[in-house]
Amino acid sequence: MDNSSGVGVLDKAVLVLNALESGPASLAQLVQTTGLARPTAHRLAVALEHHRLVHRDTQGRFILGPRLAELAAAAGEDRLLAVAQPILTQLRDLTGESAQLYRRQGDARVCVAAAERMSGLRDTVPVGTSLPMTAGSAAQILLAWEEPDRLHRGLRGAKFTATTLASVRRRGWAQSVAEREQGVASVSAPIRGTGARVIAAISVSGPIERLSRSPGRMHAPPILAAAEKISESMRRP
């Protein structure tokens, strides 16, 4: 198969990036792997370094740069939102409650997508809202599978305990009742990406009067099913 795009300099730059996929490379190794002339390989690697697509390690070897990780994260987020939105809408219609998608950003969780209940008492969380990681079922989900050190740091000042998070890991979902806000209950489940890493939490929330003081009994099955649907899509190449 011809890998040429017809834009010579771009094709050569991609050769350099592809060569670095397997690990750090000196200029001599780049020349050997790509088949490019030494001055060309050097010029391209330095130009890619300028745009942060290539970086140098402590030994001066070329490695893939941080800009690629940033672009990959943005692509993953776009894909997550595209996959999740129709499933959030289905979850809202099935449960009759508002549904949200949260991602962790530092010490906060951010609502990145939502499907709001059309009428009646609502627990509205606008897209873009930043909430603390110390309360709520989505916070429990985003913390429960963290590395032990990060998990214990996250429990400082939290309204839930390590025992709560152990239960979350065991059953695969979390619930909260008046934990983040008086009168509000919620249920959440993890969305997993490659390597089964938790990348987001999907939730339904609403008044305790409707969700009861055991909201998981009512809503855990549909939330788990929705989380698995999104996770399956995110794991596909």
Side-chain angles (χ1 to χ4, degrees):
M1 185 176 71
D2 184 9
N3 286 325
S4 170
S5 69
V7 182
V9 68
L10 181 59
D11 292 338
K12 289 171 183 172
V14 170
L15 278 177
V16 171
L17 293 173
N18 287 346
L20 296 176
E21 187 178 0
S22 57
S26 65
L27 180 57
Q29 288 168 322
L30 270 185
V31 168
Q32 184 179 11
T33 306
T34 62
L36 296 170
R38 187 181 179 93
T40 303
H42 182 260
R43 188 172 67 251
L44 287 169
V46 170
L48 289 166
E49 186 181 12
H50 175 78
H51 290 289
R52 299 174 62 242
L53 294 164
V54 165
H55 196 57
R56 309 267 187 133
D57 67 8
T58 53
Q59 297 170 48
R61 297 175 300 180
F62 294 105
I63 58 174
L64 293 174
R67 184 66 185 133
L68 291 168
E70 292 164 6
L71 290 168
E77 176 126 341
D78 285 349
R79 184 177 175 192
L80 174 64
L81 298 185
V83 166
Q85 194 61 61
I87 295 170
L88 281 173
T89 303
Q90 289 168 7
L91 183 61
R92 177 201 64 196
D93 294 346
L94 191 62
T95 62
E97 302 296 344
S98 298
Q100 302 91 23
L101 189 72
Y102 293 96
R103 293 198 78 168
R104 182 170 185 173
Q105 288 185 10
D107 292 328
R109 56 185 169 102
V110 177
C111 179
V112 294
E116 293 299 343
R117 194 172 193 266
M118 295 306 182
S119 61
L121 272 172
R122 292 184 287 172
D123 175 45
T124 303
V125 182
V127 172
T129 300
S130 180
L131 296 171
M133 280 290 295
T134 51
S137 62
Q140 294 174 29
I141 290 293
L142 294 171
L143 192 58
W145 284 272
E146 286 281 19
E147 294 294 322
D149 285 354
R150 201 170 181 201
L151 187 152
H152 289 302
R153 278 199 307 275
L155 283 169
R156 289 176 198 153
K159 293 186 180 177
F160 45 80
T161 65
T163 304
T164 307
L165 297 186
S167 296
V168 169
R169 287 191 296 275
R170 187 173 63 250
R171 68 192 177 198
W173 53 269
Q175 67 178 2
S176 68
V177 178
E179 193 174 276
R180 175 179 66 83
E181 189 179 331
Q182 280 301 315
V184 173
S186 68
V187 187
S188 300
I191 291 167
R192 298 178 183 274
T194 51
R197 187 172 62 88
V198 175
I199 58 171
I202 187 170
S203 306
V204 295
S205 60
I208 293 171
E209 289 78 12
R210 282 201 307 263
L211 270 72
S212 81
R213 299 198 76 83
S214 299
R217 194 175 299 159
M218 192 184 301
H219 293 308
I223 290 169
L224 285 167
E228 184 52 34
K229 263 191 210 171
I230 299 171
S231 298
E232 275 179 21
S233 293
M234 294 305 294
R235 287 194 294 262
R236 283 187 205 125

